[in-house]
Amino acid sequence: MTLSLISLLYKDIAELWLLLKKCTDEIMHQDIIPLYAADIQDQLKKQFAYLSGGRGGDGCPVITFPDYPAFSEIPEKEFQNVLTYLTSIPSLRDAGIGFILVIDRRQDKWTSVKASILRIAASFPGNLQLVLVLRPTGFFHRALSDIAFRFNRDELKMKVPIIMLGSVSELQGYIDKTQLTEDLGGTLDYCHNRWLSRRTAIEGFAQKVKQTAQILQSFGTELAETELPNDVQSTSSLLATHTEKKDKMKEDIRVAVEQGDDILGSITKPVTENPEYKLNQDQLDNQTTVERLLAQLHETETAFDEFWIKHQQKLEQCLRLRNFEQDFREVKAALDIVSERLSAFTDVGNSRSHVEHILKDLANFEEKSHETVAKARMLASERDAFIQSNHYAVDSIIPKCSELHHLCDAFTTETERRRNLLNKSLELHDLLEKSMKWCDEGIYLLASQPVDKCQSQDGAESALQEIEKFLDTGAGNKIKELNKIYREYAHILNEDLKDHVQKVFQKQESMEEMFQKRQVSLKKLAAKQTRPVQPVAPRPEAFVKSPCTSPGLQRENVSNSESSALRRVNYRKAKSDVTELHQSRGGSTMDDEENLAVLRQHVMNELIETERAYVEELLCVLEGYAAEMDNPLMAHLISPELQNKKDILFGNMEEIYHFHNRIFLRELETYIEYPELVGRCFLDQMEDFQIYEKYCQNKPRSESLWRQFSDSVFFQECQRKLDHKLSLDSYLLKPVQRITKYQLLLKEMLKYSKNCEGAEDLQEALTSILGILKAVNDSMHQIAITGYDGNLNELGKLLMQGSFNVWTDHKKGHTKVKDLARFKPMQRHLFLHEKAVLFCKKREENGEGYEKAPSYSYKHSLNMAAVGITENVKGDAKKFEIWYNAREEVYIIQAPTPEVKATWVNEIRKVLTSQLQACREASQHRTLEQTQSLPLPLPASSCASPSRNHIRNTKKMEEKKADLPSVEGCGTTAAPKYPEKGKGWAKPSQSLDASEENDGWSSAEEPLNSSDAEEEGGGGGEMKLTPGKYTVVTDYDKGVSEEFTVKSGDLVQLIREGEDGLWFVKNLSSGREGWIPANNLLMLIGNSKSAQSLSSSESGTASSNLSTSSSCSDSCNVSSTSFSDIKG
């Protein structure tokens, strides 16, 4: 059929092409005019000869040679051209009769007449019928012409007669007056310019028609010889090119027809304006010529239109076929893809939620595939349209349409089969979950029945009724026949699902067995009792001590079938009753353990089920949102600003999903039978949980991006496809919620596993998870720090962060002036790293969600190698000090609670201790060079006196001499320090921004010695004052002399003790002297040592603190370092 249609189509095109060629050949093979008026227009304008359109008696064309004075001067070439052109205008029939020449020489001389006649006779190219000469009108020339003509007749002899006429009236005897122009006395309407213009137009139109015919024939040849392309693009391009050329040809034909109509209208215009007007023969010939050209043009256009219609039909059918073939390939490839994806739906699910998720995935897949299937069915339905249009390739189209129908039907059938399998699986999981739920409820019922109440008859009967009532509910909830389940669901039961069914059935059987045992026990307790059973059992040792029971104590046998682990004592018959009662009490203990096991299993079930749901939710987000951002079919819904932002929006969620799906969930499932050991699972994977820190750090950026594009059509479409009630941001919060959920579940599990084997692992896992949460929380604050020029990662691990009230105390060198004394504290947020502590100002941000999270403006930082701490500040248990450079700059920190303070102090102490330990290890090879000790005084007898303090310090110095680092070995790292509290480096801090609340600190220029703290209660007695030099630790302005004041850090000398408990004191910093009460003096110098008791050199004088302090010295020089006891 296809071959016949193709043959028929090509046959029609060939016939139409022959018709078009015939029409164009007729036009192209018309007589060729030797000359055109446009070519000799200037020569014709001279009008030395013209064709007026008049005719002789027998229809001979009349050519007139008017009086032209410069006739003799006309070049021969021009003369020949004009005569040739004029003789070519009349029809061949009229030209064959011959021409009548009218030579008007009335105003000329005879000599000129003779020359004109001779020239015309010699050059005239056509046939002559008659030559009429109007001789000169002057008397002399007229007479002369008569005589000369008689004598020169032979010389002027021509093939036609020459008649000499004396007037126009004689001329009218030969030619009718109506055929003569007005200058010859006739009435013929002739205008030479109009004639010339019309001749030019007619000839131009003829040329246009011939040129159009040539182009049509050439274009037709091109169309007829064109081969059909094999692809859509080439076919479409060819059709567009041919259509464009056709339209141009049609436009050329239209212009030519308009031109011909205009010419024809100008010829017939006189007749139109005056119906009595008669056209001369030349005008009639022009009219006939133009009409003939127009008819040929219309005939050619009609033939071309018919040919084009067939050719266009051929190209359009070819294009339609190529489009069908291309669509067929695309649709078939798409059907193959969806069929392959459908074949991947082999999983029947391992839980109800899993099956529901697979069903939802299948529904989403079917929805996404609907467009492909619909497109395939629509393409297949075009079969009838091809047949009705008599398409030449219908035989190759029909099989392809049938194939598409078959593929669509197969896909639909397979989809329905998969859905039925999943629905069957869902039905089975519903049955299993009902059974498991029923078992859990039963176990909880057993665990919730109070043992004490069951000891009474009424309590036992009530508990028995509860059990029987519960067992009645098992008809619609439990699995009755295992083999029936196997038969009914055989087509979906794989090995895993079959094992799951067996475990559920075994659990059901175990639970029913527990109920049976409990029923037996309760039935015995519910039996009629003569006396109520004492609910409180006597201690076991009481039974051993009393060989006999009390006379009035009588008990019935109470056996407990649920436990028999208690030891039995072979007493007398009366004693055995009490023993059996004790066994009943022992059974309650085992019931408690059983209840704890049930609760542990419940927590484990919740952990695994929520973990599975969490994994499924992550997968749903990754497939339903993240993957769709790369889907080309959804690209038009994504705004340009959102493109390439997937990593910001979803963070490392894919990494989290793979960890939980491939590793953690599988590991958890291995502990399902041993819930108390699940802590080991967490510990094994603890390092992998660090990925949550990266996710949480990205969360503010993700939240900000979501708020910008939450109304995007893309997200709405994804949510619609997933059938989610909540938007994407709720699911992006899932990882944050999940990591915080683990610690709650671990706490529950630990509560029910305190006496179990894995309790220590559970506690360690809980601590580790809480540590991860703290690290995540700290990192969230750390990334909000702004204004810090360096790299925060170079500061080491972030250990602590929190908000505090901060006071500052700044003194320069030995000027003993507090430049900045803060009465109103600054609010600062501190970040403690391994290598530095940062002071920042918290700034609340406006906005919603994570955009409302505060930022921290960096103000100041201290190198941990340069700080020291004072753990206690008098008057406030929540305060401590961070200082350096011998307290030249002191930061008084007030924590929210004493507990927070203790945590920070301990953490700072650990940092300083670790730094000192590192310094000691680095300088260990140089310790032998530092063995020379300082001169030590002999010990005194009183441990409370300054000399005894000196002895204690000296002993500790001797013990630690080996650990003292040298300048060469340690550089400027750390001074000697006791392990309990380290001493630190005190060196100038960085400059703080002084633009805000006098926050500007100037750096100290001269480093002083570190401050030490004396061990409290070292000798158990009150410290006695002795003459010497001391450092003041607090301000004092209430001396006996109002002019005598001291400030914290001042160096004072106790000179002598006076009466009434007064001491004469000299302030070495200011040079002033005065009396201070001893009690006040004790408060001023606290537990600081006399510089004389430590070293005879003032350069080694140590500043002192009232409270315990820890520091690190900036110098490792032993000779300039003072030592004191440090509170452990």
Side-chain angles (χ1 to χ4, degrees), residues 600 603-604 675 745-753 762:
R600 287 196 297 270
V603 175
M604 190 67 188
L745 293 171
L746 286 172
K747 285 180 180 178
E748 286 293 307
M749 184 65 78
L750 183 60
K751 183 170 68 174
Y752 304 136
S753 309
L762 285 170

Side-chain angles (χ1 to χ4, degrees), residues 631-647:
N631 186 357
L633 300 178
M634 299 285 285
H636 65 286
L637 300 179
I638 305 177
S639 59
E641 296 81 3
L642 186 59
Q643 292 179 353
N644 302 322
K645 298 290 181 64
K646 183 173 73 171
D647 292 341

Side-chain angles (χ1 to χ4, degrees), residues 450 452-464 522:
D452 293 342
K453 292 182 179 179
C454 293
Q455 301 303 319
S456 65
Q457 182 177 1
D458 293 339
E461 289 178 351
S462 176
L464 193 59
L522 290 176

